[in-house]
Amino acid sequence: MKKQRADGQETRQKLLAAAGEVFAQKGFRETTNADICEKAGANTAAVNYHFGSKENLYIEAWKYSFERSIKAHPPDGGISPEAPVQERLRGRILSFMQRIADPEAHDFEIIHKEMANPTGLLTETIKEVIDPIEQDFKEIFRELLGSKAREQKIVFCQMSVMSQCFGPMLHLRRSKAEPAAPLPRKLPCDFGIEELAEHITQFSLVGINGIRQAAEKTKKNLKQNSKR
């Protein structure tokens, strides 16, 4: 019995790993159970036996890919929660960029396929596992902008930083995954992930500080005008 359970667990893990890779390449609708089982070296009935359906496997495969990515690249970037906020911001940015660029991490590619051809199957799962990470990231911007900063400003700053990371890292990811395939447009310069993370951090800190100063100046002027 123990041998059977061990074999079953091994097959399940192989299916999760194979499904993550295939779903990342083809998307949910273009992927078949046979595709996954062939890559996993499993019987074609294995998907239904271990997961009940292709839909359930899709959800579990994304979670499995995401958990492996987070384990390889912890969201805090290895920076202590007691470190200065600027260092914590850089740690988050570097971790985020490493996750996107890692060709072994399939969670981003699965989400991109989902965005292009939505199934709605991942909505609740993504919200459940990503929301806590995004909330922690948001608190860094709240600290940088000041406790009285408007929620919209905090969200805008978070979106701005993340958007700086996506384009270059997706480009780098694809160049690593398919080095022989010509990309439609080359980046204007070569760079290392840590170098770019440092630039994005410094660039963003200057912008965030400017937003905070402008808000504080506006509040000061309004307060002075109200006393006249």
Side-chain angles (χ1 to χ4, degrees):
M1 290 296 293
K2 288 184 179 179
K3 181 66 165 61
Q4 289 179 346
R5 284 197 293 269
D7 289 347
Q9 185 62 24
E10 183 180 356
T11 298
R12 190 177 192 278
Q13 292 296 109
K14 286 181 177 180
L15 287 169
L16 286 169
E21 190 171 342
V22 178
F23 284 134
Q25 292 173 348
K26 303 175 71 171
F28 175 79
R29 290 189 170 86
E30 297 302 316
T31 296
T32 66
N33 287 356
D35 293 332
I36 296 167
C37 291
E38 181 180 358
K39 189 163 193 65
N43 185 283
T44 53
V47 168
N48 288 334
Y49 177 79
H50 288 280
F51 297 96
S53 67
K54 176 182 156 185
E55 287 77 8
N56 287 338
L57 175 55
Y58 184 55
I59 295 168
E60 293 301 320
W62 182 84
K63 288 169 64 176
Y64 178 77
S65 297
F66 178 80
E67 287 165 3
R68 291 184 68 187
S69 177
I70 288 295
K71 185 176 180 179
H73 311 290
D76 61 9
I79 304 300
S80 167
E82 306 302 321
V85 66
Q86 294 84 357
E87 291 183 25
R88 286 183 276 128
L89 175 65
R90 185 185 182 280
R92 293 268 168 180
I93 289 172
L94 179 59
S95 169
F96 185 61
M97 293 170 67
Q98 287 172 331
R99 283 177 53 217
I100 299 172
D102 186 352
E104 298 301 315
H106 303 301
D107 51 309
F108 275 103
E109 293 290 352
I110 293 173
I111 289 176
H112 281 171
K113 292 291 191 300
E114 177 69 18
M115 291 171 65
N117 196 356
T119 66
L121 293 169
L122 298 179
T123 303
E124 290 302 317
T125 301
I126 290 174
K127 180 177 175 59
E128 178 185 335
V129 298
I130 289 182
D131 272 8
I133 295 173
E134 289 195 342
Q135 281 301 124
D136 288 343
F137 199 16
K138 188 183 291 184
E139 288 306 312
I140 289 177
F141 294 101
R142 193 184 308 278
E143 188 173 345
L144 288 166
L145 288 166
S147 59
K148 295 183 180 179
R150 289 190 299 139
E151 188 71 11
Q152 185 187 64
K153 287 293 184 184
I154 294 168
V155 173
F156 280 176
C157 285
Q158 185 177 14
M159 289 170 56
S160 296
V161 169
M162 292 176 71
S163 67
Q164 292 179 74
C165 302
F166 267 116
M169 290 302 98
L170 288 174
H171 189 102
L172 186 61
R173 178 190 180 97
R174 285 178 170 81
S175 68
K176 286 182 177 180
E178 300 180 62
L183 294 171
R185 178 177 176 272
K186 289 186 177 181
L187 291 175
C189 64
D190 293 328
F191 61 88
I193 294 178
E194 292 197 8
E195 291 175 307
L196 185 56
E198 181 64 29
H199 166 76
I200 291 174
T201 302
Q202 295 304 319
F203 186 86
S204 301
L205 285 171
V206 171
I208 291 169
N209 189 50
I211 291 171
R212 178 169 182 162
Q213 289 180 353
E216 290 174 350
K217 184 177 180 180
T218 299
K219 288 179 182 178
K220 184 178 179 180
N221 290 339
L222 289 172
K223 189 173 181 180
Q224 290 175 343
N225 291 336
S226 66
K227 291 180 178 180
R228 293 176 183 174

